[in-house]
Amino acid sequence: MSAPFGGSGRAAGGLPRLPTPPTGWPIGSYATYGEAQQAVGFLAEKEFGVSDVTIVGVDLMLVERVVGRLSWGRVLGTGAVSGAWFGLIIGLLLGMFNNQGFAWQPMIGGLVLGILAWTVFAAISYGMSRRDFSSASQLVAGRYDVLCQPRSAEQGRELLAQLALGGRPT
């Protein structure tokens, strides 16, 4: 059966066009993404066909780290600063393309309007959210498995065993 719009169902570079579960045999499992990347880097150094390799995050979690406490002063101040930058940029662009040469009035107007608008938007957003803290969310995995296509999985396992033994050939 062919794809509905022609082609093989794969985008350039051999990646699937639609979300697809990974395939392959596990050749290594690591606690952090950095360790999994290091393992794939080691395979690449050993001239292993890394196009057969996939890193899969298993047991996904959404981690929300609290960054700090929010207050009306902090929210309004951040809104004012963000608005000032945006207003200055817009005012600068308008001032540069003025037919009478560069003008300062658009910059000052943009600055004032940016501060007012962003401060009002920040106040409305904070008033409606009812959260007294700021946070950053991150998607992390409990472990990272390195999968390899069956045709070269055994060779990949042997190389990663060398890495586990300190990178020396066995």
Side-chain angles (χ1 to χ4, degrees):
M1 175 181 225
S2 65
F5 300 107
S8 65
R10 293 198 172 265
L15 297 176
R17 290 184 184 172
L18 297 174
T20 309
T23 60
W25 293 354
I27 61 172
S29 187
Y30 302 92
T32 67
Y33 182 70
E35 291 171 347
Q37 277 187 315
Q38 182 182 11
V40 175
F42 180 79
L43 292 173
E45 287 174 10
K46 297 294 183 179
E47 298 184 11
F48 181 80
V50 290
S51 60
D52 284 348
V53 175
T54 305
I55 299 175
V56 179
V58 180
D59 298 329
L60 296 180
M61 299 173 272
L62 179 65
V63 178
E64 183 175 11
R65 291 187 169 85
V66 176
V67 178
R69 187 175 188 287
L70 285 179
S71 64
W72 276 105
R74 186 175 207 164
V75 168
L76 297 177
T78 302
V81 170
S82 297
W85 280 110
F86 184 76
L88 277 174
I89 290 170
I90 297 300
L92 179 67
L93 290 173
L94 290 174
M96 286 174 37
F97 296 111
N98 188 350
N99 289 336
Q100 302 164 356
F102 185 79
W104 290 98
Q105 293 85 358
M107 278 184 60
I108 295 170
L111 175 70
V112 171
L113 287 175
I115 290 172
L116 290 175
W118 256 256
T119 303
V120 167
F121 291 143
I124 291 170
S125 175
Y126 180 62
M128 294 177 71
S129 73
R130 297 189 177 135
R131 281 179 57 157
D132 289 334
F133 63 92
S134 61
S135 63
S137 296
Q138 188 177 34
L139 191 63
V140 297
R143 75 173 194 273
Y144 296 87
D145 290 343
V146 177
L147 305 182
C148 183
Q149 293 304 311
R151 64 180 163 260
S152 51
E154 193 57 41
Q155 180 190 8
R157 273 193 205 106
E158 290 173 8
L159 287 170
L160 291 181
Q162 289 178 16
L163 176 64
L165 295 172
R168 292 178 308 258
T170 56

